[in-house]
Amino acid sequence: MNVKTAEAKGLRLLAHHDLAGKGDGMQVMRHEDVVYVGHAGTSRAGTSILDVSDPRHPKLVDQWAAPDHTHTHKVQVADGLLLINHERFPYRPAAPLGPHSAGLAVYDLADPLAPRQIAFWQSSGKGVHRIVWEGGRFAYVSVTPDGFTDRIWMILDLSDPHHPVEAGRWWWPGQWAAAGEQPKWPAGQRHAAHHALLDGNLAYLGYDDANLVVLDIAAPSSPRAIGFCRWGGGATHTCLPLPGRNLLVVTDEQQHDGPWAPARRIHLIDVLDPANPRYLRALPEPKGDFTGLPLRYGPHCLHENRQGSFQSGRLIFATYFSAGVRVYDLEDPGRPREIAHWISQTPPGQAAPQANDLFVDRDGLVWVTDRMEGGLFVLEPEGELAALM
């Protein structure tokens, strides 16, 4: 399968890989000349490892299967280690389909093309959904332990990577059902941690229908909520602090297939005072007829400015499912503008493209996964975007 470009401005397709016919890509991350891809779960693949020493010709070196009734769709790489989540899959049905693996696997990357597992942190409940780790002592995860109604936020201590231990946790009051807590949010809403991105001792946490929670994590054993912001969006996902700008860029994940699914947008939040975040505006929607398409249309992931990757306080790279990849210029936050986009052809076997996650490496290449069948794409900036990078 060779999926090509359907529409583009400022980004051109450099390469495509179908991941051996298991194209349900989720999180993607490049480390030196290796790319790691977590799989969404439908193909039953778990993790793919690719040699990208020549980005024009990625080579699949290994592909691990996911454990039964489990997906391992998230990857994080730093300090010579690879972290991979284990979570029940499918995770929405109330009753599990069978025994599953729940927790966090830790791999040594002495050979980046042949990771060697050195530890497994065992979780109860559904397991770990998302990981944020850029090296150092602490990893930050969303996890659904036994006794909780949904995902909470947890800090893991990796000072001894062979023996990760919990260091602290925070949850929205009402989630700890086993302790008798009762939800006080409106019926039909969901309060669940997705993941938090950090700025010093502050963690900006997406909390689904509760939108944004700001945590003070100066004391990791007792994270403390200091700020909240609601704007009426749902499934708040990524809250990206822009370095030196007192701004957050936030995605509300589209979790519903179209046509006419609930509207989801990318938002801009003022965090000059982190204890009182202030909603500013939504970023422009993609131009085109996407709302009537049969699969997901709306935001999902942002490039997160990780250490060792491309970093910018001005350029925002986002996946938008059927609207592909979108790039925004926030030079003037009062007038955000889209400056580039890229949409793949519809991969065989699905009804629309589904750009899922992306990672911009320090060379400026954009690595993009499709959520269903499309696999992995490598994009190269050109024109105005290339000049700004």
Side-chain angles (χ1 to χ4, degrees), residues 108-121:
D108 179 85
L109 291 181
D111 181 350
L113 290 171
R116 178 178 60 89
Q117 186 170 340
I118 60 171
F120 190 84
W121 177 76

Side-chain angles (χ1 to χ4, degrees), residues 21 26 29 92 95 102 108 114 185 204 206 238 348 360:
M26 180 50 230
M29 194 159 292
R92 290 193 185 280
D108 179 85
W185 52 86
Y204 293 100
T238 304
V360 187

Side-chain angles (χ1 to χ4, degrees), residues 65 97 176 272:
L97 301 179
W176 194 7
L272 177 63

Side-chain angles (χ1 to χ4, degrees), residues 163-220:
H163 300 95
V165 294
E166 180 182 340
R169 60 172 63 184
W170 189 88
W171 67 93
W172 193 281
Q175 285 189 271
W176 194 7
E181 293 183 4
Q182 296 292 323
K184 296 181 180 179
W185 52 86
Q189 285 195 1
R190 183 185 185 191
H191 282 40
H194 197 271
H195 71 296
L197 298 177
L198 275 57
D199 184 4
N201 287 326
L202 296 176
Y204 293 100
L205 174 61
Y207 226 88
D208 217 275
D209 292 325
N211 299 146
L212 169 67
V213 179
V214 185
L215 300 176
D216 181 333
I217 58 170

